[in-house]
Amino acid sequence: MPPKSDNDPKVVARWIPEEEEALVNFLHQHRAEASDGTGNFKLQTYNQLAATIAPYRKSGTAAKTTLQCKNKWKALRHVYSEIERYRNTSGFHWDSVGGAGIVGSDAQRVWEGYTQIHKVLRPYRNEGWPLYDLMQEIMPNG
């Protein structure tokens, strides 16, 4: 097979919530294998992960590759880090069920300003992130 050129379209993985949950559950069970103290795992763990989440994919979609699993974990770690940054900002509220719990026009203006920079938090205005508690246990110092 010829090597990919820069002109070849990249395959974008579409993740459904069940796949994300299976990914986090798997890594939670293997959290002792995190290799470097930052929540990263060895390639072997991502290989096992790709096989573990395969039954959760929708028919007609491609199975997730090892690299896609690794990249998704990186994206989930980013969401977690942004939530932690928000939680640790004086005067801001976060909980796993209600998210940021934005009520009132003043809070809404502050939220809109904050999420102009921290866009990944937008979905969590008044809705928690179901994966937060498991992520907290996986991540170092969680």
Side-chain angles (χ1 to χ4, degrees):
M1 173 185 286
K4 282 189 144 194
S5 72
D6 289 338
N7 297 332
D8 289 342
K10 293 184 179 181
V11 177
V12 177
R14 304 277 184 229
W15 291 79
I16 60 173
E18 293 82 5
E19 289 173 316
E20 289 180 355
E21 184 177 351
L23 180 147
V24 173
N25 280 323
F26 177 86
L27 293 177
H28 183 265
Q29 293 170 0
H30 293 86
R31 64 188 178 275
E33 299 169 20
S35 61
D36 64 0
T38 63
N40 287 317
F41 292 86
K42 295 178 182 176
L43 188 58
Q44 179 182 1
T45 304
Y46 294 116
N47 286 334
Q48 293 171 340
L49 174 57
T52 300
I53 67 168
Y56 294 93
R57 73 181 172 96
K58 288 189 174 184
S59 63
T61 62
K64 304 299 187 284
T65 67
T66 298
L67 180 59
Q68 288 169 331
C69 290
K70 183 177 181 179
N71 289 340
K72 184 61 175 183
W73 174 240
K74 182 178 178 182
L76 293 173
R77 283 188 6 230
H78 178 67
V79 171
Y80 175 78
S81 295
E82 288 293 325
I83 290 171
E84 287 299 288
R85 179 178 291 121
Y86 182 83
R87 283 183 66 232
N88 293 313
T89 302
S90 180
F92 288 1
H93 165 82
W94 171 267
D95 68 65
S96 298
V97 177
I102 302 301
V103 178
S105 59
D106 291 339
Q108 178 63 30
R109 278 192 298 281
V110 171
W111 176 255
E112 287 173 0
Y114 191 86
T115 58
Q116 284 295 316
I117 298 167
H118 306 277
K119 293 174 175 50
V120 72
L121 291 179
R122 288 181 181 165
Y124 309 109
R125 177 180 177 262
N126 287 321
E127 184 176 324
W129 188 36
L131 303 175
Y132 177 78
D133 292 333
L134 287 174
M135 290 291 297
Q136 193 173 37
E137 292 179 15
I138 297 170
M139 294 302 294
N141 303 319

